[in-house]
Amino acid sequence: MSELVAWLGRLEENSNEGEIVMKSTRILLALGPMMAATPALAHVGEHYHWSFAAGFTHPFGGVDHVLAMLSVGVLAALLGGRAIWFVPATFAAMMLVGGGLGMAGVVVPAFEIGIVASMIVLGALVTWGKPLAPFATMALVGFFAVFHGYAHGVERTVEDSGLGYSAGFALASFSLHGLGILAGAGMIKNERATRVSGIAVTLVGVWVAFS
């Protein structure tokens, strides 16, 4: 990660577009220290209460959820039109479906792999800079959202309804999507910024996969 930051620093010094690139990707690269200070995955396996506040703050504690949701927002912005709303809404809806599966005790195999894969694949799409068709993008982000939601739903204890937690988690997800949309809007006319951001997300996904 330090090598990536150093490379971006050289890019800023040597390119007229460096300042735009750095501003567009700062929100992603700032998560590097978070990986060293907290668990790489947000779903750490135990919650002492399932309040709305706990649900809202939880996604911000794991780099896997943060980067995946930011990437969804960036892809939505790159697609434009109604996709700006439909792509994030699809992620949020299917995340709640995944959470429901976890709460119901349904077994979703290899969900951790699915979560890591979401960072790598979504980051690659951002790097490519030419997202899939809106429907295909919605299907893809919805698929990955099931794993993200399941990771939290499966942690629910029998006595918890999880409704307040789910609402907070969904709102936090929309907030992250919104930040991603803002970042994506700033990168629409800057192919370099798009690629650097996507590479950053993909590299973090690879780091998590092998850490």
Side-chain angles (χ1 to χ4, degrees):
M1 193 69 184
S2 60
E3 289 80 2
L4 176 61
V5 174
W7 176 71
L8 289 172
R10 292 193 296 271
L11 175 64
E12 183 179 22
E13 294 174 357
N14 300 326
S15 172
N16 292 332
E17 299 177 343
E19 183 177 355
I20 299 176
V21 173
M22 294 302 292
K23 287 182 179 179
S24 300
T25 58
R26 187 174 297 156
I27 192 172
L28 303 179
L29 299 179
L31 295 169
M34 181 189 296
M35 291 188 296
T38 63
L41 302 178
H43 37 88
V44 295
E46 184 175 4
H47 295 291
Y48 295 102
H49 56 90
W50 278 59
S51 65
F52 175 87
F56 183 81
T57 57
H58 195 56
F60 296 97
V63 72
D64 53 348
H65 294 296
V66 170
L67 291 185
M69 294 175 192
L70 287 173
S71 297
V72 169
V74 172
L75 289 175
L78 294 178
L79 284 169
R82 295 182 178 180
I84 290 181
W85 304 104
F86 288 162
V87 171
T90 298
F91 187 98
M94 294 307 296
M95 183 184 66
L96 293 176
V97 169
L101 293 175
M103 293 178 188
V106 177
V107 176
V108 176
F111 68 91
E112 293 277 13
I113 296 176
I115 291 172
V116 173
S118 71
M119 287 188 288
I120 297 173
V121 173
L122 296 177
L125 285 178
V126 173
T127 303
W128 185 27
K130 297 178 180 179
L132 305 173
F135 181 80
T137 302
M138 290 167 61
L140 183 65
V141 302
F143 172 74
F144 286 132
V146 171
F147 297 113
H148 285 268
Y150 178 83
H152 298 278
V154 76
E155 297 170 356
R156 183 186 69 90
T157 60
V158 176
E159 62 273 14
D160 290 319
S161 68
L163 293 178
Y165 185 92
S166 298
F169 194 87
L171 181 58
S173 300
F174 275 124
S175 299
L176 289 168
H177 292 328
L179 291 175
I181 290 172
L182 290 175
M187 293 187 288
I188 289 177
K189 296 182 179 180
N190 193 313
E191 183 177 347
R192 187 191 301 272
T194 303
R195 289 182 176 178
V196 171
S197 298
I199 290 172
V201 174
T202 299
L203 289 180
V204 172
V206 173
W207 182 87
V208 172
F210 290 96
S211 63

